[in-house]
mmCIF file with all atom_site columns, all heavy atoms in Angstrom:
data_model
loop_
_atom_site.group_PDB
_atom_site.id
_atom_site.type_symbol
_atom_site.label_atom_id
_atom_site.label_alt_id
_atom_site.label_comp_id
_atom_site.label_asym_id
_atom_site.label_entity_id
_atom_site.label_seq_id
_atom_site.pdbx_PDB_ins_code
_atom_site.Cartn_x
_atom_site.Cartn_y
_atom_site.Cartn_z
_atom_site.occupancy
_atom_site.B_iso_or_equiv
_atom_site.pdbx_formal_charge
_atom_site.auth_seq_id
_atom_site.auth_comp_id
_atom_site.auth_asym_id
_atom_site.auth_atom_id
_atom_site.pdbx_PDB_model_num
ATOM 1   N N   . GLU B 1 3  ? 8.335  -18.064 9.209  1.00 87.00 ? 19 GLU B N   1
ATOM 2   C CA  . GLU B 1 3  ? 7.755  -16.761 9.014  1.00 87.00 ? 19 GLU B CA  1
ATOM 3   C C   . GLU B 1 3  ? 8.813  -15.658 9.018  1.00 87.00 ? 19 GLU B C   1
ATOM 4   O O   . GLU B 1 3  ? 9.869  -15.775 9.606  1.00 87.00 ? 19 GLU B O   1
ATOM 5   C CB  . GLU B 1 3  ? 6.734  -16.468 10.106 1.00 87.00 ? 19 GLU B CB  1
ATOM 6   C CG  . GLU B 1 3  ? 5.510  -17.368 10.075 1.00 87.00 ? 19 GLU B CG  1
ATOM 7   C CD  . GLU B 1 3  ? 4.500  -16.969 11.126 1.00 87.00 ? 19 GLU B CD  1
ATOM 8   O OE1 . GLU B 1 3  ? 4.877  -16.257 12.056 1.00 87.00 ? 19 GLU B OE1 1
ATOM 9   O OE2 . GLU B 1 3  ? 3.353  -17.421 11.017 1.00 87.00 ? 19 GLU B OE2 1
ATOM 10  N N   . VAL B 1 4  ? 8.406  -14.583 8.351  1.00 92.00 ? 20 VAL B N   1
ATOM 11  C CA  . VAL B 1 4  ? 9.156  -13.325 8.375  1.00 92.00 ? 20 VAL B CA  1
ATOM 12  C C   . VAL B 1 4  ? 8.184  -12.265 8.837  1.00 92.00 ? 20 VAL B C   1
ATOM 13  O O   . VAL B 1 4  ? 7.114  -12.101 8.236  1.00 92.00 ? 20 VAL B O   1
ATOM 14  C CB  . VAL B 1 4  ? 9.728  -12.985 6.982  1.00 92.00 ? 20 VAL B CB  1
ATOM 15  C CG1 . VAL B 1 4  ? 10.389 -11.625 6.999  1.00 92.00 ? 20 VAL B CG1 1
ATOM 16  C CG2 . VAL B 1 4  ? 10.718 -14.067 6.536  1.00 92.00 ? 20 VAL B CG2 1
ATOM 17  N N   . GLU B 1 5  ? 8.528  -11.569 9.904  1.00 93.00 ? 21 GLU B N   1
ATOM 18  C CA  . GLU B 1 5  ? 7.624  -10.600 10.500 1.00 93.00 ? 21 GLU B CA  1
ATOM 19  C C   . GLU B 1 5  ? 8.135  -9.175  10.331 1.00 93.00 ? 21 GLU B C   1
ATOM 20  O O   . GLU B 1 5  ? 9.309  -8.904  10.579 1.00 93.00 ? 21 GLU B O   1
ATOM 21  C CB  . GLU B 1 5  ? 7.476  -10.903 12.000 1.00 93.00 ? 21 GLU B CB  1
ATOM 22  C CG  . GLU B 1 5  ? 6.923  -12.287 12.335 1.00 93.00 ? 21 GLU B CG  1
ATOM 23  C CD  . GLU B 1 5  ? 5.427  -12.394 12.053 1.00 93.00 ? 21 GLU B CD  1
ATOM 24  O OE1 . GLU B 1 5  ? 4.777  -11.351 11.848 1.00 93.00 ? 21 GLU B OE1 1
ATOM 25  O OE2 . GLU B 1 5  ? 4.940  -13.531 12.029 1.00 93.00 ? 21 GLU B OE2 1
ATOM 26  N N   . GLN B 1 6  ? 7.239  -8.296  9.933  1.00 93.00 ? 22 GLN B N   1
ATOM 27  C CA  . GLN B 1 6  ? 7.535  -6.867  9.818  1.00 93.00 ? 22 GLN B CA  1
ATOM 28  C C   . GLN B 1 6  ? 6.419  -6.047  10.429 1.00 93.00 ? 22 GLN B C   1
ATOM 29  O O   . GLN B 1 6  ? 5.263  -6.447  10.383 1.00 93.00 ? 22 GLN B O   1
ATOM 30  C CB  . GLN B 1 6  ? 7.649  -6.462  8.345  1.00 93.00 ? 22 GLN B CB  1
ATOM 31  C CG  . GLN B 1 6  ? 8.776  -7.057  7.552  1.00 93.00 ? 22 GLN B CG  1
ATOM 32  C CD  . GLN B 1 6  ? 8.757  -6.547  6.125  1.00 93.00 ? 22 GLN B CD  1
ATOM 33  O OE1 . GLN B 1 6  ? 8.363  -7.264  5.222  1.00 93.00 ? 22 GLN B OE1 1
ATOM 34  N NE2 . GLN B 1 6  ? 9.230  -5.318  5.937  1.00 93.00 ? 22 GLN B NE2 1
ATOM 35  N N   . ASN B 1 7  ? 6.773  -4.880  10.921 1.00 88.00 ? 23 ASN B N   1
ATOM 36  C CA  . ASN B 1 7  ? 5.753  -3.929  11.344 1.00 88.00 ? 23 ASN B CA  1
ATOM 37  C C   . ASN B 1 7  ? 5.140  -3.320  10.094 1.00 88.00 ? 23 ASN B C   1
ATOM 38  O O   . ASN B 1 7  ? 5.855  -2.851  9.223  1.00 88.00 ? 23 ASN B O   1
ATOM 39  C CB  . ASN B 1 7  ? 6.435  -2.823  12.182 1.00 88.00 ? 23 ASN B CB  1
ATOM 40  C CG  . ASN B 1 7  ? 5.417  -1.877  12.789 1.00 88.00 ? 23 ASN B CG  1
ATOM 41  O OD1 . ASN B 1 7  ? 4.416  -1.532  12.154 1.00 88.00 ? 23 ASN B OD1 1
ATOM 42  N ND2 . ASN B 1 7  ? 5.675  -1.443  14.006 1.00 88.00 ? 23 ASN B ND2 1
ATOM 43  N N   . SER B 1 8  ? 3.796  -3.363  10.015 1.00 85.00 ? 24 SER B N   1
ATOM 44  C CA  . SER B 1 8  ? 3.139  -2.924  8.784  1.00 85.00 ? 24 SER B CA  1
ATOM 45  C C   . SER B 1 8  ? 3.214  -1.404  8.587  1.00 85.00 ? 24 SER B C   1
ATOM 46  O O   . SER B 1 8  ? 3.012  -0.920  7.453  1.00 85.00 ? 24 SER B O   1
ATOM 47  C CB  . SER B 1 8  ? 1.691  -3.376  8.777  1.00 85.00 ? 24 SER B CB  1
ATOM 48  O OG  . SER B 1 8  ? 1.004  -2.773  9.864  1.00 85.00 ? 24 SER B OG  1
ATOM 49  N N   . GLY B 1 9  ? 3.493  -0.675  9.687  1.00 87.00 ? 25 GLY B N   1
ATOM 50  C CA  . GLY B 1 9  ? 3.560  0.763   9.576  1.00 87.00 ? 25 GLY B CA  1
ATOM 51  C C   . GLY B 1 9  ? 2.148  1.376   9.531  1.00 87.00 ? 25 GLY B C   1
ATOM 52  O O   . GLY B 1 9  ? 1.236  0.785   10.056 1.00 87.00 ? 25 GLY B O   1
ATOM 53  N N   . PRO B 1 10 ? 2.006  2.572   8.955  1.00 94.00 ? 26 PRO B N   1
ATOM 54  C CA  . PRO B 1 10 ? 3.026  3.239   8.154  1.00 94.00 ? 26 PRO B CA  1
ATOM 55  C C   . PRO B 1 10 ? 4.081  3.924   8.990  1.00 94.00 ? 26 PRO B C   1
ATOM 56  O O   . PRO B 1 10 ? 3.824  4.344   10.102 1.00 94.00 ? 26 PRO B O   1
ATOM 57  C CB  . PRO B 1 10 ? 2.217  4.253   7.341  1.00 94.00 ? 26 PRO B CB  1
ATOM 58  C CG  . PRO B 1 10 ? 1.029  4.562   8.221  1.00 94.00 ? 26 PRO B CG  1
ATOM 59  C CD  . PRO B 1 10 ? 0.731  3.290   8.943  1.00 94.00 ? 26 PRO B CD  1
ATOM 60  N N   . LEU B 1 11 ? 5.279  3.990   8.429  1.00 96.00 ? 27 LEU B N   1
ATOM 61  C CA  . LEU B 1 11 ? 6.388  4.710   9.018  1.00 96.00 ? 27 LEU B CA  1
ATOM 62  C C   . LEU B 1 11 ? 6.516  6.016   8.248  1.00 96.00 ? 27 LEU B C   1
ATOM 63  O O   . LEU B 1 11 ? 6.638  6.013   7.025  1.00 96.00 ? 27 LEU B O   1
ATOM 64  C CB  . LEU B 1 11 ? 7.684  3.899   8.900  1.00 96.00 ? 27 LEU B CB  1
ATOM 65  C CG  . LEU B 1 11 ? 8.979  4.593   9.313  1.00 96.00 ? 27 LEU B CG  1
ATOM 66  C CD1 . LEU B 1 11 ? 8.956  4.884   10.809 1.00 96.00 ? 27 LEU B CD1 1
ATOM 67  C CD2 . LEU B 1 11 ? 10.173 3.718   8.963  1.00 96.00 ? 27 LEU B CD2 1
ATOM 68  N N   . SER B 1 12 ? 6.468  7.112   8.961  1.00 97.00 ? 28 SER B N   1
ATOM 69  C CA  . SER B 1 12 ? 6.521  8.430   8.314  1.00 97.00 ? 28 SER B CA  1
ATOM 70  C C   . SER B 1 12 ? 7.775  9.154   8.786  1.00 97.00 ? 28 SER B C   1
ATOM 71  O O   . SER B 1 12 ? 7.974  9.280   9.989  1.00 97.00 ? 28 SER B O   1
ATOM 72  C CB  . SER B 1 12 ? 5.273  9.243   8.656  1.00 97.00 ? 28 SER B CB  1
ATOM 73  O OG  . SER B 1 12 ? 5.265  10.477  7.984  1.00 97.00 ? 28 SER B OG  1
ATOM 74  N N   . VAL B 1 13 ? 8.594  9.620   7.857  1.00 97.00 ? 29 VAL B N   1
ATOM 75  C CA  . VAL B 1 13 ? 9.815  10.361  8.171  1.00 97.00 ? 29 VAL B CA  1
ATOM 76  C C   . VAL B 1 13 ? 9.865  11.620  7.307  1.00 97.00 ? 29 VAL B C   1
ATOM 77  O O   . VAL B 1 13 ? 9.338  11.613  6.183  1.00 97.00 ? 29 VAL B O   1
ATOM 78  C CB  . VAL B 1 13 ? 11.077 9.501   7.965  1.00 97.00 ? 29 VAL B CB  1
ATOM 79  C CG1 . VAL B 1 13 ? 11.023 8.248   8.851  1.00 97.00 ? 29 VAL B CG1 1
ATOM 80  C CG2 . VAL B 1 13 ? 11.269 9.143   6.519  1.00 97.00 ? 29 VAL B CG2 1
ATOM 81  N N   . PRO B 1 14 ? 10.490 12.658  7.794  1.00 97.00 ? 30 PRO B N   1
ATOM 82  C CA  . PRO B 1 14 ? 10.646 13.851  6.971  1.00 97.00 ? 30 PRO B CA  1
ATOM 83  C C   . PRO B 1 14 ? 11.774 13.672  5.950  1.00 97.00 ? 30 PRO B C   1
ATOM 84  O O   . PRO B 1 14 ? 12.695 12.851  6.128  1.00 97.00 ? 30 PRO B O   1
ATOM 85  C CB  . PRO B 1 14 ? 11.017 14.939  7.980  1.00 97.00 ? 30 PRO B CB  1
ATOM 86  C CG  . PRO B 1 14 ? 11.655 14.199  9.107  1.00 97.00 ? 30 PRO B CG  1
ATOM 87  C CD  . PRO B 1 14 ? 10.983 12.874  9.170  1.00 97.00 ? 30 PRO B CD  1
ATOM 88  N N   . GLU B 1 15 ? 11.675 14.384  4.862  1.00 98.00 ? 31 GLU B N   1
ATOM 89  C CA  . GLU B 1 15 ? 12.699 14.348  3.838  1.00 98.00 ? 31 GLU B CA  1
ATOM 90  C C   . GLU B 1 15 ? 14.078 14.660  4.435  1.00 98.00 ? 31 GLU B C   1
ATOM 91  O O   . GLU B 1 15 ? 14.208 15.581  5.238  1.00 98.00 ? 31 GLU B O   1
ATOM 92  C CB  . GLU B 1 15 ? 12.375 15.360  2.721  1.00 98.00 ? 31 GLU B CB  1
ATOM 93  C CG  . GLU B 1 15 ? 13.346 15.333  1.564  1.00 98.00 ? 31 GLU B CG  1
ATOM 94  C CD  . GLU B 1 15 ? 12.910 16.269  0.436  1.00 98.00 ? 31 GLU B CD  1
ATOM 95  O OE1 . GLU B 1 15 ? 11.874 16.936  0.591  1.00 98.00 ? 31 GLU B OE1 1
ATOM 96  O OE2 . GLU B 1 15 ? 13.638 16.335  -0.581 1.00 98.00 ? 31 GLU B OE2 1
ATOM 97  N N   . GLY B 1 16 ? 15.075 13.854  4.064  1.00 97.00 ? 32 GLY B N   1
ATOM 98  C CA  . GLY B 1 16 ? 16.419 14.069  4.566  1.00 97.00 ? 32 GLY B CA  1
ATOM 99  C C   . GLY B 1 16 ? 16.755 13.255  5.809  1.00 97.00 ? 32 GLY B C   1
ATOM 100 O O   . GLY B 1 16 ? 17.914 13.142  6.184  1.00 97.00 ? 32 GLY B O   1
ATOM 101 N N   . ALA B 1 17 ? 15.760 12.682  6.437  1.00 97.00 ? 33 ALA B N   1
ATOM 102 C CA  . ALA B 1 17 ? 15.969 11.898  7.656  1.00 97.00 ? 33 ALA B CA  1
ATOM 103 C C   . ALA B 1 17 ? 16.390 10.470  7.319  1.00 97.00 ? 33 ALA B C   1
ATOM 104 O O   . ALA B 1 17 ? 16.387 10.055  6.148  1.00 97.00 ? 33 ALA B O   1
ATOM 105 C CB  . ALA B 1 17 ? 14.690 11.887  8.498  1.00 97.00 ? 33 ALA B CB  1
ATOM 106 N N   . ILE B 1 18 ? 16.739 9.719   8.368  1.00 97.00 ? 34 ILE B N   1
ATOM 107 C CA  . ILE B 1 18 ? 17.059 8.301   8.210  1.00 97.00 ? 34 ILE B CA  1
ATOM 108 C C   . ILE B 1 18 ? 15.807 7.485   8.504  1.00 97.00 ? 34 ILE B C   1
ATOM 109 O O   . ILE B 1 18 ? 15.186 7.638   9.554  1.00 97.00 ? 34 ILE B O   1
ATOM 110 C CB  . ILE B 1 18 ? 18.188 7.865   9.150  1.00 97.00 ? 34 ILE B CB  1
ATOM 111 C CG1 . ILE B 1 18 ? 19.492 8.596   8.803  1.00 97.00 ? 34 ILE B CG1 1
ATOM 112 C CG2 . ILE B 1 18 ? 18.402 6.342   9.087  1.00 97.00 ? 34 ILE B CG2 1
ATOM 113 C CD1 . ILE B 1 18 ? 20.637 8.307   9.785  1.00 97.00 ? 34 ILE B CD1 1
ATOM 114 N N   . ALA B 1 19 ? 15.449 6.604   7.567  1.00 97.00 ? 35 ALA B N   1
ATOM 115 C CA  . ALA B 1 19 ? 14.335 5.685   7.789  1.00 97.00 ? 35 ALA B CA  1
ATOM 116 C C   . ALA B 1 19 ? 14.904 4.340   8.206  1.00 97.00 ? 35 ALA B C   1
ATOM 117 O O   . ALA B 1 19 ? 15.864 3.859   7.604  1.00 97.00 ? 35 ALA B O   1
ATOM 118 C CB  . ALA B 1 19 ? 13.510 5.534   6.527  1.00 97.00 ? 35 ALA B CB  1
ATOM 119 N N   . SER B 1 20 ? 14.351 3.751   9.253  1.00 97.00 ? 36 SER B N   1
ATOM 120 C CA  . SER B 1 20 ? 14.809 2.497   9.784  1.00 97.00 ? 36 SER B CA  1
ATOM 121 C C   . SER B 1 20 ? 13.703 1.461   9.717  1.00 97.00 ? 36 SER B C   1
ATOM 122 O O   . SER B 1 20 ? 12.632 1.639   10.314 1.00 97.00 ? 36 SER B O   1
ATOM 123 C CB  . SER B 1 20 ? 15.274 2.662   11.227 1.00 97.00 ? 36 SER B CB  1
ATOM 124 O OG  . SER B 1 20 ? 15.703 1.428   11.773 1.00 97.00 ? 36 SER B OG  1
ATOM 125 N N   . LEU B 1 21 ? 13.933 0.418   8.954  1.00 97.00 ? 37 LEU B N   1
ATOM 126 C CA  . LEU B 1 21 ? 12.941 -0.652  8.771  1.00 97.00 ? 37 LEU B CA  1
ATOM 127 C C   . LEU B 1 21 ? 13.476 -1.944  9.363  1.00 97.00 ? 37 LEU B C   1
ATOM 128 O O   . LEU B 1 21 ? 14.659 -2.272  9.173  1.00 97.00 ? 37 LEU B O   1
ATOM 129 C CB  . LEU B 1 21 ? 12.672 -0.816  7.273  1.00 97.00 ? 37 LEU B CB  1
ATOM 130 C CG  . LEU B 1 21 ? 12.245 0.458   6.530  1.00 97.00 ? 37 LEU B CG  1
ATOM 131 C CD1 . LEU B 1 21 ? 12.369 0.283   5.043  1.00 97.00 ? 37 LEU B CD1 1
ATOM 132 C CD2 . LEU B 1 21 ? 10.826 0.817   6.920  1.00 97.00 ? 37 LEU B CD2 1
ATOM 133 N N   . ASN B 1 22 ? 12.613 -2.644  10.050 1.00 96.00 ? 38 ASN B N   1
ATOM 134 C CA  . ASN B 1 22 ? 13.062 -3.831  10.793 1.00 96.00 ? 38 ASN B CA  1
ATOM 135 C C   . ASN B 1 22 ? 12.268 -5.083  10.429 1.00 96.00 ? 38 ASN B C   1
ATOM 136 O O   . ASN B 1 22 ? 11.123 -4.984  10.010 1.00 96.00 ? 38 ASN B O   1
ATOM 137 C CB  . ASN B 1 22 ? 12.934 -3.554  12.293 1.00 96.00 ? 38 ASN B CB  1
ATOM 138 C CG  . ASN B 1 22 ? 13.649 -2.317  12.711 1.00 96.00 ? 38 ASN B CG  1
ATOM 139 O OD1 . ASN B 1 22 ? 14.801 -2.122  12.381 1.00 96.00 ? 38 ASN B OD1 1
ATOM 140 N ND2 . ASN B 1 22 ? 12.959 -1.439  13.414 1.00 96.00 ? 38 ASN B ND2 1
ATOM 141 N N   . CYS B 1 23 ? 12.884 -6.217  10.715 1.00 96.00 ? 39 CYS B N   1
ATOM 142 C CA  . CYS B 1 23 ? 12.317 -7.485  10.306 1.00 96.00 ? 39 CYS B CA  1
ATOM 143 C C   . CYS B 1 23 ? 12.900 -8.595  11.188 1.00 96.00 ? 39 CYS B C   1
ATOM 144 O O   . CYS B 1 23 ? 14.084 -8.538  11.528 1.00 96.00 ? 39 CYS B O   1
ATOM 145 C CB  . CYS B 1 23 ? 12.680 -7.699  8.819  1.00 96.00 ? 39 CYS B CB  1
ATOM 146 S SG  . CYS B 1 23 ? 12.476 -9.318  8.153  1.00 96.00 ? 39 CYS B SG  1
#
Side-chain angles (χ1 to χ4, degrees):
Chain B
E19 294 183 343
V20 175
E21 300 286 347
Q22 295 180 256
N23 187 322
S24 62
L27 173 66
S28 184
V29 301
E31 184 175 1
I34 296 175
S36 178
L37 305 165
N38 306 310
C39 165

